[in-house]
Amino acid sequence: MTLDEIFVLIGGILLIALVVWYFWFSSSEGTRVQSTSGGLQEALIKVKGGYSPNVIVVEAGKPVRLNFLREETAACSEQVIFSDFGKQATLTPHKTISVEFTPDTPGEYEFQCAMGMLRGKLIVE
Amino acid sequence: MAKDVVCGMEVDNDSPYQSTYKDKTFKFCSENCKTKFDENPEKYVAKHQDSPATYQITTNGIENIQLPIVDMQCASCATTIEKELRKLQGIKKAVVNGATQNAYVEYERSEVSVSKIIDSIKKSGYRTGYAKLRLHISGMHCNSCVSQIEEELEGISGILSASVDLGTEAALVKYIPSKVDYPALKNIIERMGYQVTEISRKNDETISDPQNTVGASTDQVDSEPIDENEQARNREYKSLMWKFIFSAVISIPVMIFSYPDFLGLPEQFQRGTDLLYWIWFSMGVVTLPVMFWAGSHFYTGAWAAFKNRSANMHTLIAVGVTAAWLYSTVAVLFPEIFPTEALAEVFYDVTAVVVALVNLGLALEIRAKGRSSEAIKKLMGLQAKTARVVRDGKEQDIPVEEVVLDDIIVVRPGDKIPVDGEIVEGSSAIDESMITGESIPVEKYAGDEVIGATINKTGSFKFKATKVGKDTALSQIVQMVEEAQSSKPPIQRVVDKVSGYFVPAVIILAIASFVVWYLVGPAPALIYALVVAVTVLIIACPCALGLATPISLMVGVGKGAENGILIRSGEALETAQKLDAIVLDKTGTITEGKPSLTDIITVNDFTEDQVLSWSASVERASEHPLGEAIIRGAEDRSITLSDPKNFNAIPGHGVEAEVDGRKVLLGNIKMMRDNGIDTGSLLDKSTKLADEGKTPMFVAIDGKAAGIVAVADTVKADSKEAIAQLKKMGLEVVMITGDNQRTANAIAKQVGVDRVLAEVLPEDKALNVQKLQNEGKRVAMVGDGINDAPALAQADIGLAIGTGTDVAIEASDITLIKGSLKGVVLAIQLSKATMRNIKQNLFGAFAYNTAGLPVAAGLLYPFFGILLSPLIAAAAMAFSSVTVVTNANRLRKFQPKYSKANK
């Protein structure tokens, strides 16, 4: 094995390890939603190639209002679906569209675009 | 006593201060008031007589108000608002309906104001909706006119605020559409002596900028609502197409000069020439805008995903395209760093062609997806725009949003019925196909229910609005369809797990392929390694995978809605196609649910008409449902009935009365025996009728047996056919009823049901369903959704049938708007077709990826020497998702096999 081959091999393995770690084993911090005096938990989520923030932490039993602001026209992100809550919204570009529901049971709920390309997580505590 | 219209005091009828205006005498308390009146009688008359708003004030000063609430989407929000409202003084009743997003408040006018109510809703975290109206008022000359108009308007219930601007001669009125309308406003202002010339209206949700409403147009009531999402989609399609065209145009020369030897270009363009070097250099430059303009969305998408520690299709394309470009650019600029000249190869064509093809694929996908959601768009488009209501004794056209409960609405032939309601006058044939899927128009008379968005065919009628706004069947259907389309059938959960790992896995595969090809691949190893890695990245299509289920579900659920079948969730759809048994409730499901006259038997020379006429006449005094059936039977034969005298009901026996001077007995055999009547041959006949599931009643006239009238709950016309169809599908059909075994068997025999569960108490229906489930069967229950709710909930699938406008039945998984059992057949067929489509899509997407990825990685190369070009990979990838959408769209052509056979 020549030097460059060893280089490529080790580089490849390291790169794969990096991909595995970055996408599967590191987790991003969730954003905790502040609740208003009325008990409503409201958060703004920007949609552009993904949801930011994409992990949202809320409290169980209190109404949640998630305001989606889609800052792109790419059709992929047109819809946001909360299948566990039976909610969906068509996001009009550059407009704030709200999705409201009350999560009663603590747990982790995924939300995503119509094709499941963009994903986010709602953690109910 | 009379009332002084100027100051409001009570005055004696013989008051000395009187004035006559428009043939009417007005009385005043003083000279002062009289003078005021004489100066401008119009003003006071207007105030006095006019009742422009449609609000209701009851005698004790309690008022009702209906306030739309914006952005309320959960049931608990409703309770939050209610609680907040009830804290206020003077609130008699506060009900917030989460489904209609309306607050219904009853309040004491003297204690609390509308604005306080609105403030309180705001306090609970919600906003109230109101409409804004911009009126152009001419004829105003001074500031006092301004305050006068403002005061006048603000004094009217339903107007939240009015601000008049003298400079622009405009008034901005915020009002609640259910309480005041434009004609009323116009009326008020005109009666004050000003002209209302122009108007622009906006049904705005919130307090947001009043500037929005500036720019008035003449008497235009709400222009066509523009679908912003549709527009955005069109714009995106166009932009993608332009990007495709741009990158395609660049692709052509780039491709030609990438393969000079292969295409046999003239000598001067061959490798190693200066000219080709410069061509390659410029190719590197022109592909830059391809990447960063035409392909910009790949980069932004990839970056955004990367930040969120996830990866998607954009990531794959962006990495692949960039790798190809960077390698080529290094090869052009620093060819000397490569050990051999052959490695200094360019792949600008990959960059340009991949961007072009993927853009084209995305554009086509948008087009195809637009068609997939057609069903729901069609549903939303059904809503009537205006309604012709009778208010203050006058017919007027108003926007449908302003129709309130109990409005009387006039419908002429050809009109679209604006909201749900009940006919109060007239009759007509109504085409309900858009809601129920039933193509034959339905005859409707006074007392019958009409559904909004259906079309009146022949007659004119008036109806009372019973459901408006978001309560209407149509709105609920739209909401239910949307909900179902956003749900996930269980099959999708597997896909979700896979797709979460898919993209990173592809990246890993690409890296691994690169390493393997570099180590053991043929020379030039670096080129092969690069091409293979890029091909792997490009060919993977996570979109097809993610799209497979939702797109079919969307088309399938939409198709159901078109046929009057509301499938509530993906789970219901998936279960509905793998059922073993179906339990049908007898009354109202297999049968009409109300008795009707079936047989008349006569003896002793009485005629059928005589027997029917007398028994029906007797029943006029009774209120028994069986009696009603006899009366209806007589009316259908146009028999005139008389009034019974000395009516007497004997519980458990029957009824007796005198009709036309004759003594008529109508009842069971016991009654006949007690009265010493010889029933003779009638007894056998009655037993036979009872065996057929009918209820026979003996008739005796003046102590002599006259015959039998029999009534029965008749079987719906198409029940038998539908049941046969269900059996053909391999389902075990079971009938469940509270009736006695004999009646139940008779009906079961008529319609061809083999298994009968009779004499089941309503509360035991669920238990019986469970028993069937314990036999290891997946059971569907079909019932009316009201009495059968527990059984519907117990069953694997509950189907509520014939619900009319009550579409949102909690216990049901599938709601059939039409009363026919055919809908059940259709629902199962549609579920099967949809699930088949989903499976095809998933199979296609999985097969594509599992076959495409190894081939792209070069698995076939050692054996057959086959290696994919990244260009082919790009084409395959772009069209795989289009194929999925196109396949789903095939479902739109789904034709119920059933109705075809019947047409």
Side-chain angles (χ1 to χ4, degrees):
Chain A
M1 207 178 257
T2 56
L3 196 64
D4 62 313
E5 285 177 338
I6 295 170
F7 239 44
V8 166
L9 183 63
I10 293 173
I13 291 170
L14 284 179
L15 211 54
I16 289 174
L18 189 71
V19 169
V20 170
W21 171 78
Y22 189 79
F23 291 115
W24 292 333
F25 290 103
S26 69
S27 59
S28 53
E29 282 278 297
T31 306
R32 191 167 287 277
V33 173
Q34 298 297 318
S35 50
T36 61
S37 56
L40 183 74
Q41 311 182 76
E42 197 166 7
L44 178 73
I45 299 170
K46 285 190 183 155
V47 185
K48 195 176 183 188
Y51 301 111
S52 49
N54 69 334
V55 180
I56 294 141
V57 187
V58 296
E59 264 179 78
K62 283 187 183 170
V64 173
R65 180 192 290 159
L66 301 175
N67 299 316
F68 286 88
L69 180 61
R70 181 172 158 218
E71 291 176 322
E72 62 179 354
T73 51
C76 199
S77 57
E78 190 182 27
Q79 266 178 324
V80 61
I81 299 175
F82 289 77
S83 56
D84 298 299
F85 302 97
K87 294 276 174 207
Q88 69 169 351
T90 304
L91 307 178
T92 310
H94 311 296
K95 253 193 155 180
T96 307
I97 307 283
S98 307
V99 175
E100 278 185 38
F101 52 87
T102 304
D104 291 319
T105 328
E108 291 192 5
Y109 304 94
E110 282 226 318
F111 58 93
Q112 56 178 58
C113 72
M115 340 181 178
M117 284 284 84
L118 318 181
R119 283 154 185 274
K121 212 190 302 174
L122 184 79
I123 299 174
V124 180
E125 291 180 339
Chain B
M1 293 287 268
K3 197 177 168 191
D4 182 335
V5 291
V6 178
C7 66
M9 260 177 73
E10 296 283 343
V11 284
D12 285 326
N13 276 333
D14 54 359
S15 161
Y17 310 106
Q18 297 200 355
S19 181
T20 308
Y21 179 68
K22 282 192 182 164
D23 298 325
K24 210 173 161 199
T25 314
F26 292 89
K27 303 177 180 73
F28 306 95
C29 63
S30 62
E31 183 63 45
N32 191 10
C33 280
K34 184 183 180 309
T35 328
K36 266 192 184 169
F37 179 83
D38 289 340
E39 273 168 16
N40 185 3
E42 190 71 51
K43 180 178 168 184
Y44 299 103
V45 173
K47 202 171 180 176
H48 179 58
Q49 294 177 333
D50 191 35
S51 56
T54 55
Y55 59 93
Q56 298 143 357
I57 301 179
T58 50
T59 40
N60 50 7
I62 292 173
E63 234 183 291
N64 299 317
I65 188 172
Q66 180 183 333
L67 280 166
I69 291 173
V70 181
D71 293 342
M72 187 182 66
Q73 284 172 10
C74 55
S76 69
C77 317
T79 29
T80 317
I81 300 172
E82 280 174 15
K83 265 188 221 150
E84 196 64 45
L85 281 174
R86 289 192 190 124
K87 280 187 205 154
L88 284 178
Q89 280 269 317
I91 299 287
K92 297 285 166 208
K93 203 172 124 193
V95 181
V96 178
N97 187 329
T100 61
Q101 305 204 348
N102 267 323
Y104 301 92
V105 188
E106 266 181 43
Y107 63 100
E108 192 87 45
R109 204 181 182 190
S110 54
E111 287 180 45
V112 69
S113 65
V114 179
S115 60
K116 273 202 185 131
I117 293 173
I118 289 167
D119 281 347
S120 135
I121 292 172
K122 242 189 254 166
K123 229 160 88 191
S124 63
Y126 296 88
R127 297 168 291 179
T128 50
Y130 49 78
K132 275 193 280 192
L133 190 61
R134 200 173 174 85
L135 302 167
H136 280 238
I137 301 173
S138 51
M140 291 189 297
H141 301 294
C142 57
N143 268 322
S144 70
C145 311
V146 170
S147 51
Q148 196 190 355
I149 298 175
E150 281 178 357
E151 269 168 33
E152 187 74 24
L153 287 176
E154 279 171 358
I156 288 162
S157 170
I159 292 184
L160 305 175
S161 76
S163 70
V164 180
D165 184 2
L166 185 65
T168 56
E169 297 200 311
L172 181 68
V173 185
K174 293 178 185 172
Y175 69 105
I176 301 161
S178 60
K179 305 206 72 180
V180 195
D181 53 9
Y182 168 59
L185 286 170
K186 194 172 150 130
N187 219 341
I188 298 160
I189 300 169
E190 280 178 355
R191 279 180 195 235
M192 291 171 74
Y194 309 100
Q195 285 92 51
V196 177
T197 48
E198 275 181 276
I199 155 186
S200 82
R201 179 197 305 250
K202 194 163 186 269
N203 276 332
D204 199 355
E205 52 237 33
T206 52
I207 299 87
S208 63
D209 46 352
Q211 290 92 322
N212 266 358
T213 43
V214 180
S217 57
T218 314
D219 251 33
Q220 197 195 0
V221 181
D222 262 325
S223 58
E224 247 344 79
I226 311 147
D227 188 344
E228 282 179 81
N229 297 313
E230 184 70 38
Q231 278 185 334
R233 222 173 285 144
N234 277 334
R235 266 203 305 272
E236 178 67 8
Y237 172 78
K238 271 191 204 133
S239 122
L240 280 171
M241 271 320 233
W242 276 116
K243 286 173 174 177
F244 160 68
I245 291 167
F246 175 76
S247 32
V249 166
I250 303 250
S251 293
I252 295 164
V254 168
M255 263 170 79
I256 292 171
F257 293 109
S258 291
Y259 307 98
D261 32 7
F262 183 70
L263 292 171
L265 292 182
E267 197 61 27
Q268 60 269 36
F269 292 108
Q270 283 307 331
R271 274 166 214 278
T273 58
D274 270 359
L275 184 58
L276 191 66
Y277 174 81
W278 286 112
I279 289 174
W280 280 4
F281 184 83
S282 36
M283 268 156 59
V285 176
V286 292
T287 42
L288 273 176
V290 172
M291 288 204 307
F292 296 115
W293 177 67
S296 57
H297 46 293
F298 301 130
Y299 291 97
T300 51
W303 176 241
F306 187 78
K307 274 194 299 189
N308 290 331
R309 291 172 191 261
S310 72
N312 53 34
M313 179 198 84
H314 295 146
T315 317
L316 299 176
I317 303 286
V319 173
V321 164
T322 315
W325 190 86
L326 282 179
Y327 185 95
S328 315
T329 308
V330 171
V332 169
L333 296 183
F334 314 104
E336 63 282 359
I337 68 162
F338 292 98
T340 58
E341 205 184 310
L343 285 176
E345 183 64 79
V346 292
F347 297 102
Y348 290 123
D349 58 323
V350 173
T351 307
V353 173
V354 168
V355 170
L357 286 175
V358 177
N359 275 339
L360 178 65
L362 286 174
L364 293 179
E365 196 182 304
I366 289 180
R367 264 295 134 92
K369 260 162 66 190
R371 280 196 290 274
S372 315
S373 56
E374 230 168 42
I376 195 135
K377 258 183 270 162
K378 232 193 265 173
L379 275 174
M380 291 201 258
L382 285 177
Q383 177 69 56
K385 301 272 181 295
T386 59
R388 193 167 184 80
V389 300
V390 184
R391 280 187 187 166
D392 307 327
K394 277 183 298 191
E395 284 182 19
Q396 47 181 312
D397 283 316
I398 61 167
V400 73
E401 295 81 22
E402 289 184 0
V403 175
V404 292
L405 283 185
D406 296 339
D407 261 341
I408 299 294
I409 297 156
V410 183
V411 184
R412 289 161 302 188
D415 278 358
K416 198 180 255 184
I417 297 167
V419 296
D420 296 354
E422 196 186 292
I423 299 185
V424 289
E425 196 185 309
S427 67
S428 180
I430 293 166
D431 176 9
E432 295 189 335
S433 57
M434 55 298 286
I435 300 287
T436 65
E438 174 66 63
S439 53
I440 304 158
V442 196
E443 289 287 335
K444 302 243 170 167
Y445 306 96
D448 285 344
E449 190 180 51
V450 290
I451 309 175
T454 57
I455 289 175
N456 177 30
K457 287 287 197 197
T458 50
S460 294
F461 62 89
K462 285 181 184 169
F463 77 98
K464 192 171 83 177
T466 55
K467 283 178 187 164
V468 298
K470 293 214 160 139
D471 279 336
T472 60
L474 181 68
S475 306
Q476 300 217 32
I477 290 169
V478 169
Q479 203 193 333
M480 279 168 71
V481 169
E482 277 186 340
E483 245 173 57
Q485 286 177 339
S486 65
S487 69
K488 271 184 193 166
I491 199 170
Q492 178 66 11
R493 291 192 197 129
V494 186
V495 182
D496 272 352
K497 280 217 180 78
V498 175
S499 56
Y501 293 101
F502 186 78
V503 178
V506 170
I507 298 174
I508 290 168
L509 181 66
I511 298 169
S513 314
F514 183 91
V515 172
V516 171
W517 276 85
Y518 191 81
L519 297 185
V520 299
L526 184 60
I527 298 280
Y528 275 110
L530 178 83
V531 169
V532 165
V534 169
T535 312
V536 167
L537 290 174
I538 303 288
I539 203 166
C541 189
C543 276
L545 211 55
L547 207 56
T549 311
I551 197 87
S552 301
L553 188 69
M554 185 151 142
V555 180
V557 168
K559 192 76 203 172
E562 274 174 31
N563 288 287
I565 297 162
L566 304 173
I567 299 168
R568 313 257 328 230
S569 69
E571 201 167 343
L573 191 105
E574 191 168 337
T575 318
Q577 49 95 42
K578 46 184 184 193
L579 291 169
D580 302 305
I582 185 159
V583 181
L584 307 174
D585 181 47
K586 191 201 80 156
T587 314
T589 302
I590 296 178
T591 65
E592 296 287 356
K594 55 178 186 184
S596 59
L597 181 74
T598 56
D599 298 82
I600 307 166
I601 294 164
T602 59
V603 287
N604 296 336
D605 297 328
F606 287 103
T607 66
E608 282 193 7
D609 279 4
Q610 277 175 320
V611 170
L612 186 56
S613 156
W614 286 324
S615 39
S617 297
V618 173
E619 289 289 1
R620 283 178 95 172
S622 102
E623 274 160 8
H624 201 274
L626 295 182
E628 269 175 42
I630 297 173
I631 296 170
R632 238 181 301 120
E635 280 169 353
D636 285 346
R637 297 186 181 203
S638 333
I639 291 170
T640 31
L641 304 181
S642 326
D643 277 326
K645 279 184 201 128
N646 303 327
F647 175 83
N648 186 21
I650 306 147
H653 287 79
V655 290
E656 57 180 13
E658 274 171 39
V659 179
D660 303 335
R662 285 164 166 247
K663 186 156 179 64
V664 181
L665 296 181
L666 182 66
N668 57 17
I669 186 73
K670 259 189 254 164
M671 187 182 205
M672 297 299 129
R673 281 192 191 131
D674 288 355
N675 286 282
I677 288 155
D678 177 22
T679 46
S681 63
L682 283 179
L683 196 59
D684 285 346
K685 285 177 182 151
S686 91
T687 318
K688 199 172 149 272
L689 288 170
D691 281 338
E692 289 168 13
K694 294 166 183 166
T695 311
M697 282 176 279
F698 293 93
V699 186
I701 314 284
D702 292 336
K704 209 160 94 182
I708 291 176
V709 286
V711 298
D713 185 3
T714 49
V715 170
K716 285 180 192 167
D718 43 20
S719 288
K720 191 177 175 181
E721 230 178 316
I723 287 168
Q725 193 86 17
L726 287 171
K727 280 164 119 180
K728 228 170 153 188
M729 290 170 152
L731 293 173
E732 183 185 352
V733 183
V734 182
M735 185 175 94
I736 197 165
T737 175
D739 279 1
N740 64 52
Q741 194 76 46
R742 198 160 68 163
T743 316
N745 282 341
I747 298 278
K749 217 171 118 193
Q750 259 187 64
V751 294
V753 172
D754 308 319
R755 194 166 168 184
V756 178
L757 301 171
E759 288 162 53
V760 179
L761 295 171
E763 57 268 34
D764 289 342
K765 279 184 183 169
L767 194 71
N768 277 278
V769 169
Q770 203 180 4
K771 274 187 197 156
L772 280 169
Q773 286 172 322
N774 289 346
E775 292 172 21
K777 290 172 179 146
R778 260 186 295 261
V779 181
M781 167 81 201
V782 188
D784 62 11
I786 303 154
N787 304 318
D788 305 326
L792 291 182
Q794 172 64 42
D796 295 283
I797 288 285
L799 292 102
I801 191 170
T803 58
T805 59
D806 292 321
V807 289
I809 292 168
E810 273 311 311
S812 78
D813 302 300
I814 298 177
T815 304
L816 306 170
I817 303 169
K818 204 171 19 160
S820 161
L821 268 184
K822 273 189 198 170
V824 178
V825 178
L826 193 58
I828 295 174
Q829 281 179 351
L830 182 66
S831 302
K832 283 196 171 154
T834 310
M835 278 313 292
R836 201 163 45 231
N837 198 277
I838 289 176
K839 283 176 188 159
Q840 285 163 358
N841 274 348
L842 284 178
F843 175 80
F846 269 111
Y848 167 81
N849 281 304
T850 46
L853 283 172
V855 173
L859 201 66
L860 295 181
Y861 188 77
F863 311 107
F864 308 104
I866 296 174
L867 200 57
L868 279 185
S869 145
L871 306 186
I872 305 284
M877 184 266 165
F879 293 100
S880 65
S881 52
V882 178
T883 312
V884 164
V885 181
T886 313
N887 185 46
N889 276 343
R890 282 195 315 128
L891 255 189
R892 293 196 304 134
K893 295 200 198 93
F894 170 84
Q895 273 292 327
K897 285 185 198 114
Y898 205 102
S899 60
K900 226 191 223 167
N902 277 276
K903 264 173 197 167

